Amino acid sequence: MTNLKIIGLLLVVISGCTIPVEIETPQPEQKPVIICFFTPTEPFVLHLTHSANQTDTTTNIIDNALVTLSTNEDFYTQLPHQSNGYYTDTTIYPKSGIMYNLTVEIPGLPTLSASDSIPAAVSTFSFIKYTEKRWFTEGSEYSGLTFEIDENPGTNYYEILYRVSYHHPFYDELTPQFKIGHFRTIGLADDDIIWQSLFTNTLFAGKKITIELADNNIEYFRSMDSLNYTVQILQESPSLYKYRHTLIKHLDAQYADFWEPIEPVIMYTNIDNGYGIFAGYQSQITPIIFPE
Amino acid sequence: MIKHRLQIFFLLLIITFSGFSQKKSKLSGFIRDAANSEPLIGAIIYSQNNDHYAVSDVYGHYTLHNKNHKTLTLNISFTGYKTQTITINVLSDTILNFNLVPGIEIEEVLVKGNVPIENSVNMSMHTLPLKELKQLPALGEADIIKVMQLMPGIQGGAEGRSGLYVRGGSPDQNLIMLDGTSMYYVNHYGNFLSLFHPEIISNLQLYKGAFPARYGGRMSSVIDLRMRQGNNKQHKKSIGIGLLSADLLIEGPIKKDTTSYIFSFRRFYLDALIRPITYLSSGGFSAGYKFFDLYGKISHVFSPETRFFVSIYIGEDAISSKVNQWNDNTFNGSHKNLWGNIMAATRLNTKLSNNVLADFALAYTSYKVCSADEYRVDSINFKNHIKSQVHDLTIKSDFKYSPLKNIEILIGAGGILHRFNPAITSNYISMADSVIVDKLDNTNFQADFESYTYIENTLSILNFVNLNLGMRYSNYFTGNTWYNKFEPRLMGAIGNKKTGAIKISYAQVMQSLHLLSNQNIGTPSDVWLPVTASIPPAISTQWILAYAKTFFSKYEFSVEAYKKQMVGLITYKEGVSFFSNDDINWQNKIEKNGKGETKGIEFYVRKNEGNTTGWIAYTWAKSQRLFENINGGKPFPFTYDRQHDLNIIINHNFNSKYNLSATWNYGSGYPITLETGYYKTYDVNWEPQDFDLTQTNPFIIDSKVALYSPKNSVRFKNYHRLDIAFQINGKTKKGRNKIWTFNIYNLFNNKNPAYYYYDWLDPKDKSKGITLWQQSGIPIMPSVTYRISW
């Protein structure tokens, strides 16, 4: 496909040109945007802005809103504005299994609202073994890291990532990175249930599941000094999972170009009268200890 | 209710069969080119005695009935040929063949080379004269599909392309047939050129609606192209050379007057220009694009009434790259994308009796897309191949029965065996002499069977009412699922030369194949897919109301209003492209059960006679789509919906040597979806500055969520373009015919939009903000071609 693009682009570059243009475009409806992911280990932090026009490069923060959190069990509090559109109270931590109701009142605008909860954490998420490099059928080599999840009953939604940092011998500095690896389930009829970093437990609900991270960079990382290698699993609420799923597709579609057009993906939101997301998650991290 | 309608319809068909027993004489035979015996399709034989006429069919065959006259005076005419006039005695059924000589038509002849539009039941149909087509301006070289885009109701899609969007339909809704065999892939890469080389095509007919019952399987148009049969009197050669392609055509008799051949080969040689540039600029890497088209046809005359044909087409596009000793001298590799058609057809055309002409055909056609990567690193070899294929085997027969004056009945049936292999993959890895991986996957194929039968009855009543009544019964078997449909086809015209003719049409069509395609560039990503148990066929219903009249005996005028409704459409889901590997099952990538509605009015004025010919075509149209999960379930404009479209085409012959032609196209902008706003949201903090193993929150507000206008609610700026061509005909010193053609594409150098995007107005001074930019299409572009024939 790259060759097609190169040649196609060459034809256009040879023959075309670019000019600024003015056309009539519909103006998007300006709406407040709430971004709040919450997890038991951190206090509630809510970011509140206005959506912007495409040509607007300024940040449209909202600092005069009344942000209220409540539950169905007599919990009620307000999150004060701190700075740059962030609303938080460092003493208020969310808890798993409780439905939180959010209302945001902004002068002159309809009240925004949303509800979500934090799912229970998986009981086991552990690193099992490291496997020496093997071959992918696609033609590249990889090494494997195997994990085990002993999950909770019901429908669960996961996101799995690995993070790595090391001292690069040339640059002599830490190069921390989060990565989406080639994760796949082991022992299931369909081992391709993990899309990007996201998956659900539809094929193994309530059972132990083994996951392998197949990564052709592991050997490279192992050759570096001061390697820190961890794998993180997020158990997400259905709303957060849907938001993350849509976001990945949304961003992919944004990178589509004339040569590979993709239908734009409209972002999911669970905010009434606004854009954004208010959703909870659990996180567990397991360090990887490579054999000497 | 449907049953009741069918009963009425068949009754109408039966009524038209009445009166078969009347006794009369009949004249029949073939009309051909005197120079090379090529059949002349659409030639007219006209009886001055009774004002009757007949039109030759795709084999040049005609049948003219005579009821009362013992002696007939006949004019035999065809555009671009000298008209013959003869007087003969017709006491019984007579076979008479005519050979017309090429030349300028005599002005006084009563009947011109085309059927008067008032006397024809046809509507929404265009026949393009090939000679005129080759004289029109082109981007590089003349292209049949691009000339079709100049007709009312037809859009070309992106600029300079050979896309074909007929009355709001998509490209897969066009039935494109070469010698009666349907072709899957009709445009070369980028859609800049179609497969159809004008030098080998003898005739083409384009139906935008009002489809006769003999055609089916596609909802929006039928393009029936016929290859030349070759000169059966003497050997001829022709060579054409353009800036980017060259072609060779040879033809002649294998046995004089009995067996002839014609072969044509065209090669596009952009790779010869690009490869050296990429190689020199990269030091080891080279890439290029090429294609070829090979046509061949052998025709044999068993008897004056029995002919046999073998037609072939082989074409392939290839984009390839090679790396030799890249950087560290250890890497060698190549990548290839190949795609193309193969078509082979045999056909026997014979007269079973004086009244019945039969045509039997057996054809094979295939379409493939391949991607191949092969590379070597040190002692390790890798080979990855992906292939998608469609194979069709078609058998069909058609019978034409002419029992009475002004009645012609066509009956036919056919079957097509489809075999689909959507994605065969193979992987091979070896290290030194040992094989590590050797896998072949997805070799399963889907075999479907499609069949049809039809009956079509063309009749004329008192030379004032013309009808074409037909019914087609289509079937499609896939797995355990069977789809079938009766497709009524009705055409009627009332009027004569004085009053003009009012025409109406109603047609239903079932389409059982879908195309998943990149609509912009026509890359080798086009994948043809069958209906399945969960994806039903698409069905269209089209109504047409038209008025046609010839003014001043030279100017044909028609106005047509149409409305077309479609159900069962498919498209990609949001966020999915053909190249995405999210899901192997293509059925999960599509939105199905879509609906479409298109309507429009087309005005068309054409002048076919004299030194100056041409046409003006204006279309007002509106085309919409509706899918449950796209655009919030609201209707949206079709990607190539163009509300206003105006084409003016002028072709002037100064004399036999010089010709000047020009085409001007103006159209309102195509619809697009544009980002109109944004907000920022959490995404994974891919490169955190402060790394903390215990930090549980991997997110940071970093990603930009785009807010879009409603789908296709923004329009490109309006489009206009003037092209001109100047042709010089002459002789070489050796007496060979030569033609120089000079083209200027986009003479006004108008910056027509290709696509829009947002970027900084001045990247060096971001305080000026962000603005909308236009990538313009092809600017003024001169080109020249040279053709020599002998």
Side-chain angles (χ1 to χ4, degrees):
Chain A
M1 185 56 200
T2 305
N3 293 329
L4 297 176
K5 288 184 178 179
I6 290 170
I7 292 170
L9 204 59
L10 193 64
L11 290 171
V12 168
V13 168
I14 288 171
S15 60
C17 66
T18 56
I19 52 171
V21 65
E22 287 185 10
I23 56 171
E24 282 185 25
T25 57
Q27 293 303 308
E29 188 183 357
Q30 286 267 349
K31 283 184 182 178
V33 182
I34 293 172
I35 306 294
C36 180
F37 292 180
F38 51 95
T39 187
T41 56
E42 294 184 356
F44 276 105
V45 178
L46 182 143
H47 191 237
L48 189 59
T49 57
H50 270 299
S51 60
N53 287 339
Q54 189 64 32
T55 53
D56 187 353
T57 55
T58 58
T59 305
N60 303 309
I61 61 169
I62 300 173
D63 55 10
N64 60 344
L66 180 63
V67 177
T68 307
L69 274 174
S70 64
T71 71
N72 299 330
E73 297 169 358
D74 298 332
F75 170 79
Y76 178 89
T77 190
Q78 291 182 350
L79 300 182
H81 181 250
Q82 302 297 329
S83 63
N84 294 325
Y86 284 97
Y87 292 75
T88 187
D89 182 334
T90 54
T91 63
I92 299 176
Y93 282 70
K95 293 175 185 174
S96 172
I98 295 174
M99 181 61 69
Y100 290 95
N101 305 313
L102 171 75
T103 57
V104 176
E105 295 173 51
I106 304 167
L109 291 175
T111 300
L112 289 80
S113 61
S115 299
D116 205 30
S117 62
I118 299 172
V122 294
S123 56
T124 307
F125 175 60
S126 55
F127 170 57
I128 303 296
K129 66 176 181 179
Y130 158 74
T131 308
E132 287 282 357
K133 69 178 183 179
R134 285 172 282 169
W135 293 102
F136 267 134
T137 54
E138 290 80 9
S140 59
E141 60 181 12
Y142 73 95
S143 299
L145 301 171
T146 309
F147 307 89
E148 196 172 73
I149 303 172
D150 192 0
E151 63 150 18
N152 300 310
T155 304
N156 298 314
Y157 303 87
Y158 298 103
E159 179 160 11
I160 190 163
L161 307 158
Y162 74 88
R163 60 174 88 181
V164 60
S165 79
Y166 51 83
H167 264 113
H168 196 285
F170 294 148
Y171 305 114
D172 193 28
E173 60 184 16
L174 272 175
T175 55
Q177 300 162 43
F178 275 96
K179 297 275 190 185
I180 294 177
H182 185 95
F183 286 94
R184 56 187 183 181
T185 49
I186 305 295
L188 295 178
D190 183 358
D191 65 358
D192 203 26
I193 64 171
I194 301 179
W195 178 77
Q196 298 275 0
S197 56
L198 299 160
F199 64 103
T200 68
N201 66 340
T202 49
L203 292 180
F204 59 91
K207 299 174 186 170
K208 279 189 179 177
I209 181 68
T210 304
I211 289 177
E212 183 181 61
L213 164 61
D215 190 355
N216 56 5
N217 289 318
I218 290 176
E219 298 307 314
Y220 169 76
F221 293 142
R222 286 188 67 197
S223 67
M224 298 290 146
D225 296 331
S226 308
L227 177 65
N228 273 318
Y229 198 115
T230 61
V231 175
Q232 180 174 20
I233 191 163
L234 307 175
Q235 193 172 345
E236 300 175 344
S237 73
S239 293
L240 182 53
Y241 182 85
K242 192 170 182 181
Y243 189 83
R244 292 284 299 147
H245 202 281
T246 313
L247 180 66
I248 293 170
K249 287 197 166 187
H250 176 90
L251 296 176
D252 277 352
Q254 277 189 35
Y255 290 120
D257 54 23
F258 178 74
W259 303 102
E260 189 185 340
I262 300 176
E263 197 69 37
V265 177
I266 308 303
M267 268 307 294
Y268 166 77
T269 180
N270 67 346
I271 310 291
D272 289 338
N273 297 322
Y275 299 123
I277 184 74
F278 174 73
Y281 69 94
Q282 290 274 6
S283 169
Q284 281 179 268
I285 296 170
T286 186
I288 307 300
I289 311 297
F290 289 101
E292 291 299 322
Chain B
M1 186 65 183
I2 291 172
K3 191 176 175 183
H4 184 63
R5 287 179 186 170
L6 288 175
Q7 286 172 343
I8 293 172
F9 192 80
F10 279 117
L11 191 63
L12 276 172
L13 286 176
I14 292 165
I15 287 169
T16 62
F17 296 161
S18 61
F20 285 3
S21 59
Q22 290 181 40
K23 184 66 182 171
K24 61 189 184 319
S25 64
K26 187 164 50 184
L27 194 66
S28 64
F30 292 88
I31 305 174
R32 300 194 183 96
D33 185 321
N36 55 24
S37 292
E38 287 276 352
L40 298 178
I41 304 168
I44 293 177
I45 180 165
Y46 171 72
S47 167
Q48 293 186 13
N49 309 68
N50 53 16
D51 200 30
H52 290 158
Y53 67 89
V55 184
S56 60
D57 63 14
V58 294
Y59 301 101
H61 185 267
Y62 74 92
T63 305
L64 184 70
H65 293 267
N66 173 45
K67 192 175 178 183
N68 302 316
H69 299 275
K70 294 178 180 177
T71 302
L72 288 178
T73 300
L74 302 170
N75 293 326
I76 305 95
S77 61
F78 188 62
T79 302
Y81 288 77
K82 292 176 181 173
T83 299
Q84 277 187 26
T85 303
I86 64 165
T87 301
I88 57 167
N89 294 320
V90 187
L91 301 174
S92 60
D93 288 354
T94 306
I95 294 173
L96 196 58
N97 298 327
F98 298 96
N99 294 307
L100 298 187
V101 178
I104 304 299
E105 218 166 337
I106 302 165
E107 288 293 331
E108 298 82 45
V109 171
L110 293 172
V111 177
K112 302 294 181 185
N114 294 314
V115 181
I117 53 176
E118 301 87 348
N119 291 72
S120 169
V121 73
N122 286 323
M123 65 198 87
S124 302
M125 192 201 87
H126 301 284
T127 300
L128 303 183
L130 268 295
K131 186 182 176 188
E132 187 176 359
L133 183 151
K134 289 182 221 173
Q135 291 171 334
L136 294 180
L139 181 62
E141 65 178 273
D143 188 84
I144 287 172
I145 300 284
K146 281 186 192 159
V147 174
M148 289 182 191
Q149 295 169 0
L150 301 172
M151 295 298 170
I154 300 178
Q155 306 298 330
E159 186 187 14
R161 310 295 166 75
S162 294
L164 213 53
Y165 301 85
V166 180
R167 288 182 172 171
S170 51
D172 61 317
Q173 296 172 2
N174 303 318
L175 175 65
I176 301 180
M177 298 192 301
L178 182 63
D179 274 359
T181 305
S182 64
M183 304 281 279
Y184 282 100
Y185 167 66
V186 296
N187 285 316
H188 290 293
Y189 172 54
N191 289 343
F192 291 107
L193 273 177
S194 71
L195 264 55
F196 306 112
H197 187 201
E199 295 299 322
I200 193 132
I201 301 298
S202 68
N203 182 272
L204 68 91
Q205 288 185 317
L206 163 68
Y207 296 84
K208 302 179 293 185
F211 308 116
R214 57 186 179 272
Y215 297 117
R218 301 287 194 279
M219 298 190 297
S220 284
S221 77
V222 175
I223 298 162
D224 192 352
L225 298 121
R226 299 285 162 169
M227 283 165 64
R228 292 178 53 204
Q229 292 179 11
N231 194 320
N232 69 359
K233 298 190 181 304
Q234 54 184 322
H235 294 280
K236 293 280 185 182
K237 303 175 190 70
S238 166
I239 294 174
I241 300 171
L243 292 180
L244 296 174
S245 69
D247 65 82
L248 167 70
L249 184 144
I250 56 172
E251 60 181 318
I254 296 173
K255 186 179 178 185
K256 196 173 180 183
D257 294 330
T258 303
T259 310
S260 63
Y261 70 90
I262 183 166
F263 286 94
S264 158
F265 181 77
R266 179 169 64 165
R267 172 73 155 78
F268 187 74
Y269 40 68
L270 182 65
D271 56 325
L273 301 173
I274 288 183
R275 276 199 184 280
I277 295 170
T278 52
Y279 186 83
L280 291 173
S281 61
S282 65
F285 171 82
S286 65
Y289 164 65
K290 62 185 177 185
F291 73 70
F292 74 85
D293 296 313
L294 172 66
Y295 290 88
K297 188 167 185 174
I298 293 174
S299 307
H300 178 71
V301 180
F302 286 109
S303 70
E305 295 168 347
T306 303
R307 290 175 167 246
F308 181 71
F309 308 95
V310 178
S311 310
I312 60 162
Y313 167 81
I314 301 172
E316 186 175 88
D317 286 43
I319 292 178
S320 61
S321 60
K322 282 184 182 174
V323 178
N324 292 317
Q325 299 189 332
W326 185 265
N327 293 336
D328 56 4
N329 294 340
T330 61
F331 185 91
N332 291 278
S334 67
H335 173 81
K336 280 183 185 173
N337 282 102
L338 303 173
W339 67 102
N341 277 332
I342 295 176
M343 184 279 283
T346 61
R347 182 176 294 273
L348 180 70
N349 182 247
T350 186
K351 250 186 174 179
L352 299 180
S353 71
N354 275 344
N355 288 335
V356 180
L357 195 70
D359 190 66
F360 305 97
L362 177 66
Y364 166 80
T365 182
S366 73
Y367 167 62
K368 69 169 183 183
V369 184
C370 301
S371 171
D373 286 295
E374 297 184 7
Y375 54 97
R376 180 185 177 88
V377 184
D378 296 327
S379 63
I380 306 169
N381 288 297
F382 301 91
K383 292 179 184 176
N384 295 326
H385 292 188
I386 302 172
K387 189 191 285 185
S388 173
Q389 290 178 311
V390 184
H391 301 273
D392 282 358
L393 186 63
T394 304
I395 185 166
K396 61 180 180 178
S397 56
D398 302 273
F399 300 90
K400 186 168 79 174
Y401 178 46
S402 307
L404 282 175
K405 179 188 74 167
N406 298 337
I407 292 182
E408 188 174 272
I409 298 163
L410 291 172
I411 297 173
I416 305 166
L417 185 63
H418 299 283
R419 178 180 158 138
F420 299 90
N421 289 95
I424 303 169
T425 61
S426 68
N427 296 288
Y428 175 87
I429 304 169
S430 68
M431 185 186 292
D433 292 329
S434 62
V435 176
I436 299 168
V437 176
D438 190 0
K439 284 181 66 179
L440 189 62
D441 293 319
N442 298 328
T443 54
N444 293 340
F445 63 87
Q446 179 176 334
D448 295 349
F449 183 68
E450 185 176 2
S451 69
Y452 65 86
T453 53
Y454 72 84
I455 180 168
E456 182 185 327
N457 185 12
T458 306
L459 65 154
S460 178
I461 303 169
L462 302 174
N463 282 345
F464 191 73
V465 177
N466 293 285
L467 297 170
N468 181 306
L469 308 176
M471 178 66 81
R472 186 181 177 94
Y473 179 54
S474 299
N475 293 274
Y476 196 91
F477 300 87
T478 176
N480 295 321
T481 308
W482 171 37
Y483 296 104
N484 66 96
K485 178 161 180 55
F486 283 100
E487 303 170 16
R489 312 287 176 84
L490 310 171
M491 283 184 267
I494 301 173
N496 57 27
K497 286 182 185 175
K498 287 182 182 175
T499 61
I502 294 173
K503 304 182 180 185
I504 55 169
S505 164
Y506 174 83
Q508 281 196 335
V509 181
M510 178 174 91
Q511 177 168 337
S512 302
L513 297 175
H514 297 291
L515 176 69
L516 279 182
S517 172
N518 178 324
Q519 292 191 354
N520 261 358
I521 52 173
T523 63
S525 67
D526 288 0
V527 179
W528 284 90
L529 300 160
V531 298
T532 66
S534 62
I535 300 177
I539 293 171
S540 75
T541 305
Q542 187 171 176
W543 299 263
I544 302 168
L545 176 64
Y547 176 74
K549 182 165 173 34
T550 303
F551 291 97
F552 310 116
S553 74
K554 286 180 181 176
Y555 299 94
E556 292 180 353
F557 169 79
S558 67
V559 54
E560 296 192 10
Y562 66 88
K563 183 175 182 180
K564 182 166 65 176
Q565 290 179 323
M566 299 174 279
V567 295
L569 303 180
I570 67 168
T571 190
Y572 279 115
K573 284 184 175 175
E574 289 182 345
V576 172
S577 81
F578 176 80
F579 304 102
S580 61
N581 296 317
D582 302 346
D583 203 321
I584 294 171
N585 187 350
W586 64 269
Q587 294 190 58
N588 296 333
K589 290 185 175 182
I590 62 165
E591 290 290 338
K592 56 190 179 184
N593 296 325
K595 294 178 181 175
E597 182 176 289
T598 77
K599 55 189 173 185
I601 300 177
E602 299 167 359
F603 296 86
Y604 185 55
V605 182
R606 178 161 192 148
K607 180 175 181 289
N608 284 322
E609 313 295 334
N611 287 328
T612 303
T613 58
W615 67 90
I616 299 172
Y618 169 76
T619 306
W620 177 90
K622 187 176 181 183
S623 177
Q624 289 192 313
R625 296 287 190 272
L626 176 66
F627 287 88
E628 185 180 357
N629 297 312
I630 292 181
N631 199 40
K634 296 175 184 169
F636 57 88
F638 177 54
T639 307
Y640 292 107
D641 172 47
R642 175 169 273 178
Q643 204 162 9
H644 302 281
D645 190 44
L646 176 64
N647 290 297
I648 300 175
I649 289 83
I650 296 173
N651 186 31
H652 181 71
N653 288 301
F654 293 98
N655 48 42
S656 61
K657 190 173 181 182
Y658 298 111
N659 173 275
L660 179 67
S661 62
T663 64
W664 185 69
N665 172 235
Y666 175 87
S668 45
Y670 287 130
I672 52 171
T673 307
L674 205 59
E675 289 179 33
T676 53
Y678 71 95
Y679 63 85
K680 290 202 166 183
T681 191
Y682 276 135
D683 197 358
V684 173
N685 186 5
W686 299 110
E687 294 188 356
Q689 295 301 310
D690 302 313
F691 188 71
D692 180 1
L693 271 179
T694 64
Q695 180 186 329
T696 56
N697 182 355
F699 300 110
I700 187 173
I701 289 189
D702 187 41
S703 287
K704 198 171 172 181
V705 170
L707 301 171
Y708 293 98
S709 63
K711 185 170 172 61
N712 289 347
S713 63
V714 181
R715 294 270 171 179
F716 276 135
K717 292 183 79 170
N718 293 343
Y719 179 101
H720 72 85
R721 197 187 77 230
L722 176 67
D723 307 333
I724 61 168
F726 186 64
Q727 203 171 72
I728 304 172
N729 294 269
K731 297 275 188 187
T732 66
K733 290 177 182 175
K734 292 183 179 178
R736 296 169 174 173
N737 295 318
K738 65 175 183 180
I739 303 172
W740 283 100
T741 306
F742 301 91
N743 289 292
I744 301 179
Y745 184 90
N746 196 2
L747 183 68
F748 293 152
N749 194 26
N750 189 46
K751 291 179 173 57
N752 290 309
Y755 61 92
Y756 291 155
Y757 62 97
Y758 285 98
D759 205 346
W760 297 102
L761 184 58
D762 181 357
K764 294 175 183 174
D765 183 3
K766 293 188 176 177
S767 66
K768 293 181 179 174
I770 289 172
T771 194
L772 188 65
W773 289 82
Q774 170 184 295
Q775 171 67 52
S776 300
I778 302 169
I780 184 168
M781 185 73 71
S783 64
V784 60
T785 58
Y786 177 70
R787 177 164 299 281
I788 182 170
S789 57
W790 68 99

